[in-house]
């Protein structure tokens, strides 16, 4: 892997450009959506939260069947169609003016997003050799953060304007970004489907693969770090420390910038199952240290609290990058090559579950329990990271004979 933040020319760079295109729109959407749904659509905040929770629950359920569809019909075509579906769902937000239409549009958006993530992972697996996938995913993560930062800046302009037209412009931008994403993916080589194999899989499918289910569960526990940055730390700062509220934004910028600059470098040494489990195990140790440092920020002067919180945030982002690199490798290497979309769809549900359940868990632990809550959170994540090694060995021991990937790229006509 090179030190460059730009992936090599060819399919890898096209995938990165597609990621950049829709992440700019998503960044603008994330910072404005709550106010758009309450101020423009006219929904109560509680109804917005309920509708989005229902939507992402539906999205997590359909991720596996949509991933299976990518296996059966081919991941490129499926990814393009789901990008178009996401664009249509975002565009529908421009005209919804009631709770039920909002829930239906949100369900369509979450379902298309979940399926698109699974299809793109299957497409990546079909186009990129196994040894290069984690490196490319590190590039894509850096690209994602860069796009989100640009989009968040554009969304900030809309928030500053505060007009209905500005909010509508943000949602139109997000819809167009997914159209551009679809157009870019059409430039990629097609990847042959594996319909004959998929037809033989039935019933619970990936859920019958108990070792992979366990790995996914452990990864979901480790993904509690995601709402930590957006909810847990902001609540801790405002409720339990004397640090100024602006530090919330500063820590977010620190996290985003660090991932943009260092994620590729942090993923360089992850090339197989052994190195992946070591990276996950290290992330658990660093995360425990981060939680302990965060706990020390309570009960001290404002500027001491600022310094302690910055140290904790640095440790947290290091743990995040290590865990991300390890989990990407595990998700691909432990999945059958001929059911990649189905397995990636299931593995991706961990993100949805962490984002849905994480706020409840983190609020209870950090705001309710304080310092013991931080230490318990760090201990749980350390235990999950160390359990990943035995779970991976179980998955490897129970796997059938290794198979060569059955997909081959088909040149673009």
């Amino acid at each position: 892997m090179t030190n460059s933040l730009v992936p090599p020319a060819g399919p890898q760079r096209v995938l990165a450009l597609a990621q950049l295109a829709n992440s700019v729109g998503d960044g603008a959407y994330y910072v404005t959506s709550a106010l758009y749904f309450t101020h423009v659509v006219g929904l109560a905040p509680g109804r917005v939260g309920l509708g989005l929770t229902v939507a992402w629950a539906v999205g997590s359920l359909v991720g596996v069947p949509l991933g299976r569809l990518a296996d059966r019909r081919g991941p490129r075509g499926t990814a393009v169609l789901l990008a178009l579906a996401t664009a249509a769902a975002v565009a529908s937000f421009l005209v919804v003016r009631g709770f039920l239409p909002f829930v239906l549009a949100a369900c369509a958006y979450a379902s298309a997003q979940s399926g698109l993530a699974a299809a793109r992972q299957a497409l990546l697996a079909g186009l990129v050799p196994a040894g290069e996938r984690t490196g490319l995913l590190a590039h894509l993560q850096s690209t994602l953060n860069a796009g989100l930062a640009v989009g968040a800046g554009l969304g900030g302009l809309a928030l500053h304007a505060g007009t209905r037209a500005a909010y509508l412009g943000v949602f139109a931008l997000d819809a167009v970004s997914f159209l551009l994403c679809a157009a870019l993916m059409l430039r990629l080589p097609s990847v042959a489907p594996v319909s004959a194999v998929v037809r033989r899989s039935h019933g619970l499918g990936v859920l019958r693969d108990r070792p992979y289910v366990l790995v996914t569960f452990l990864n979901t526990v480790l993904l509690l770090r995601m709402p930590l940055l957006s909810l847990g730390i902001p609540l801790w700062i405002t409720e339990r420390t004397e640090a100024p509220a602006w530090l919330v934004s500063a820590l977010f910028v620190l996290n985003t910038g660090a991932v943009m600059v260092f994620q590729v470098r942090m993923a360089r040494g992850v090339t197989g199952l052994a190195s992946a489990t070591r990276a996950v195990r290290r992330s658990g140790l660093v995360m425990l240290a981060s939680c302990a440092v965060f706990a020390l920020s309570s009960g001290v002067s404002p500027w001491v609290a600022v310094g302690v919180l910055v140290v904790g945030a640095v440790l947290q982002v290091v743990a995040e990058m290590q865990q991300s690199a390890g989990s990407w490798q595990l998700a691909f290497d432990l999945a059958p090559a001929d059911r990649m979309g189905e397995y990636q769809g299931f593995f991706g549900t961990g993100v949805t579950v962490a984002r849905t359940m994480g706020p409840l868990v983190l609020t209870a632990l950090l705001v309710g329990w304080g310092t013991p809550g931080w230490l318990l959170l760090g201990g749980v994540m350390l235990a999950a990271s160390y359990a990943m090694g035995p779970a991976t060995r179980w998955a490897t021991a129970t796997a059938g004979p290794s198979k060569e990937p059955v997909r081959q790229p088909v040149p673009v006509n």
Side-chain angles (χ1 to χ4, degrees), residues 286-303:
V286 178
M287 196 66 210
L288 175 61
S290 173
C291 289
V293 171
F294 277 129
L296 295 175
S297 62
S298 179
V300 295
S301 67
W303 290 108

Side-chain angles (χ1 to χ4, degrees), residues 212-278:
Y212 198 87
V213 170
L214 176 58
V215 169
T216 301
F217 168 75
L218 294 173
N219 188 64
T220 301
V221 174
L222 296 174
L223 286 175
L224 288 175
R225 61 170 175 75
M226 299 179 70
L228 183 65
L229 184 66
S230 61
L231 179 72
I233 293 174
L235 287 177
W236 174 259
I237 288 175
T238 56
E239 299 291 331
R240 290 279 192 157
T241 78
E242 300 298 323
W246 57 257
L247 188 62
V248 172
S249 177
L251 295 183
F252 183 84
V253 172
L254 184 154
N255 180 279
T256 303
V259 173
M260 286 171 54
V261 175
F262 296 111
Q263 180 68 81
V264 173
R265 186 177 302 173
M266 293 288 288
R268 186 184 301 126
V270 179
T271 56
L273 292 176
S275 54
T277 54
R278 284 196 299 270

Side-chain angles (χ1 to χ4, degrees), residues 233 286-287 289-291 293-294 307-317:
I233 293 174
V286 178
M287 196 66 210
S290 173
C291 289
V293 171
F294 277 129
V308 172
L309 288 165
V310 168
V311 172
V314 169
L315 292 171
Q316 187 270 329
V317 74

Side-chain angles (χ1 to χ4, degrees), residues 126-162:
L127 293 174
V128 179
E132 300 176 16
R133 291 171 189 164
T134 295
L136 175 58
L137 284 165
H139 280 296
L140 295 182
Q141 187 71 11
S142 297
T143 302
L144 171 68
N145 277 32
L148 290 176
V150 173
L154 296 174
L157 295 177
L159 292 175
H160 179 72

